[in-house]
Amino acid sequence: MSVSDLDPVPAVALLARPGAARERLREALAHADVQIVLEDDPMTLEPQALHDARPQFVVIALEAAIEDALERLEPALSAPGLTLVFDEAELAARRDGWEAQRWGRHLAAKLHGHQQVLPPGAEDEPALQLEPGLPSTPPVPKETALQPHLEQARSWADDVPADGLYSPPAHLHEPIALEQALAALQPVLPVLPETAAPVQAAPEPPPVPAAAPSVFTDHTAWSLVDEASDAPAVASAATPTGSAEPAFDTGHLSLVDLDAAAPAGSRSGALLVLAGIGGPDALRRLLAALPSGLAVPVLVHMRLDGGRYGNLVKQMARVSPLPVQLAEAGQRATAGEVHVLADDIGVHAAADGLYFQSEAQGISIAALSAEHSALVLLSGADLAHVGPALDLAAAGAWVAGQVGEGCYDPAAATAVVAAGMVAGEPQELAQVIAARWGLDDDGDAA
């Protein structure tokens, strides 16, 4: 069996419009040691042609002009066993030099399914991994090797000088075994005669007379029981016949507004997802694995060159069971919906929930209610968010970071995982989120 049979070359289809972005992606695939089975413009490509090429991966250069073409190719792109890798066309066209090489290494790692993304010669040295189990038994010295030393020690024993200043008292003897010493300290118990009189049983107490039924309508006649008295008298109070029992008025009852009665912090909770380079693929897997109902809103913040967040909303709406929309200033965050945040949209907590507002610095993690919020850092999340994320976790929030082969830029996610936060693939994190904030068929929290 050859090496190529053990490690087959991945079959890749490249879908991009003619231009600089397509050339850059072709160069990256050429250095990734893959087989390009199809390279075409998605505007003119037919779904059957993509299906007949039988690729394992499809690399797509995203831009606004191909949105309708991707919808037309949706049946072929949704084939089982097919992995989609998205890249911004404008970003790919400008990528050059060190950044292009770095992207190529991450792309090769994704296509080949390994974690080596460092340049040649900069591989990490393998760390010492402790393995479970008992330590190996040291070798037992051979008796033949020790025998000469024992004989020599025996011949010198008589010549070793003794301490003449001390002589043990005559009444002391050789030490005895520990068991013998403990046995000597045990007290001797007297043997009871067999004719000892049996212990008489204690006389049964006289039966307590049943107390007369008491009426507890008049509490003014109550008093503490005198435990020292031999026969405490039972006080009975006569029920007044002239006064009627008060009636319970049910005419003014009303249902309580549970949402208004809930603490303000619970209505300010949310699931915030932060992403960047490689984020569209990770975000796609996370949202696709979420349930159709959540008790909190989902806020997505992923920096995109050009700010085309409307395209991101369309892409995620195809796979998400939850409604996906673009957040606007003044709008309230709705539980069970996905809100995509632009770079200039933040949130503020009000008495009835979270509201979006114009914010030059973007989303602020500190604005979320720690006790009722969750935070997920996917591939490409900004390192500046690590500190606020850990502060929110210390206050009671659930924080997690992406791990695995699909994490192209793991710096921020790895930092929160190293601090003890939850780690997992996007699908695994979605399962934990569904268990904590999912809704059942009746709309109740799980």
Side-chain angles (χ1 to χ4, degrees), residues 67-434:
E67 289 295 328
D68 296 336
L70 292 181
E71 293 182 2
R72 182 173 50 84
L73 296 173
E74 182 68 22
L77 295 176
S78 302
L82 188 62
T83 302
L84 305 181
V85 180
F86 296 96
D87 189 17
E88 289 288 333
E90 183 179 353
L91 181 61
R94 297 200 311 263
R95 194 179 293 124
D96 195 7
W98 178 87
E99 184 65 23
Q101 297 176 7
R102 176 175 176 271
W103 163 255
R105 292 192 300 270
H106 282 279
L107 180 61
K110 172 70 175 180
L111 299 178
H112 288 277
H114 59 72
Q115 299 290 331
Q116 180 56 41
V117 296
L118 297 177
E123 294 83 359
D124 291 334
E125 294 184 359
L128 179 61
Q129 297 292 335
L130 299 180
E131 297 182 357
L134 295 175
S136 58
T137 306
V140 180
K142 296 182 179 180
E143 185 177 356
T144 56
L146 295 178
Q147 191 62 31
H149 301 283
L150 295 176
E151 295 177 355
Q152 185 181 20
R154 189 180 300 109
S155 63
W156 289 353
D158 297 335
D159 299 334
V160 176
D163 190 356
L165 300 179
Y166 172 79
S167 58
H171 65 278
L172 293 182
H173 305 284
E174 291 293 331
I176 61 176
L178 177 61
E179 292 79 3
Q180 299 175 359
L182 293 178
L185 295 177
Q186 295 296 328
V188 179
L189 297 178
V191 179
L192 297 177
E194 297 181 357
T195 59
V199 179
Q200 297 182 356
E204 297 182 358
V208 180
S214 59
V215 182
F216 296 103
T217 55
D218 185 10
H219 64 274
T220 58
W222 294 358
S223 62
L224 297 177
V225 177
D226 187 4
E227 296 181 356
S229 61
D230 294 336
V234 179
S236 62
T239 305
T241 58
S243 60
E245 292 289 337
F248 187 73
D249 186 8
T250 61
H252 298 84
L253 295 180
S254 62
L255 296 177
V256 177
D257 187 359
L258 297 180
D259 184 66
S266 63
R267 297 190 296 273
S268 300
L271 167 62
L272 176 59
V273 182
L274 303 173
I277 297 177
D281 181 54
L283 180 61
R284 177 176 175 271
R285 290 189 286 160
L286 176 72
L287 295 183
L290 288 179
S292 58
L294 282 181
V296 293
V298 181
L299 313 181
V300 175
H301 177 64
M302 183 173 64
R303 292 190 178 274
L304 296 176
D305 290 344
R308 291 190 296 271
Y309 292 97
N311 297 338
L312 182 63
V313 171
K314 294 180 181 179
Q315 298 168 21
M316 298 305 153
R318 298 192 186 101
V319 299
S320 173
L322 301 174
V324 183
Q325 58 180 314
L326 188 63
E328 298 180 359
Q331 178 187 9
R332 179 185 175 186
T334 305
E337 295 186 4
V338 180
H339 303 272
V340 178
L341 308 181
D343 294 340
D344 58 348
I345 294 294
V347 295
H348 73 279
D352 56 345
L354 282 176
Y355 283 85
F356 302 113
Q357 64 181 4
S358 298
E359 187 69 38
Q361 303 299 328
I363 182 67
S364 174
I365 297 177
L368 300 177
S369 171
E371 184 180 357
H372 304 281
S373 296
L375 183 61
V376 177
L377 281 77
L378 298 179
S379 174
D382 195 345
L383 277 172
H385 290 146
V386 173
L390 296 180
D391 293 340
L392 199 70
W398 183 84
V399 179
Q402 178 189 357
V403 296
E405 61 181 14
C407 194
Y408 295 118
D409 187 4
T414 304
V416 297
V417 171
M421 302 297 105
V422 181
E425 293 276 0
Q427 299 93 323
E428 299 172 346
L429 300 180
Q431 294 176 0
V432 180
I433 293 170

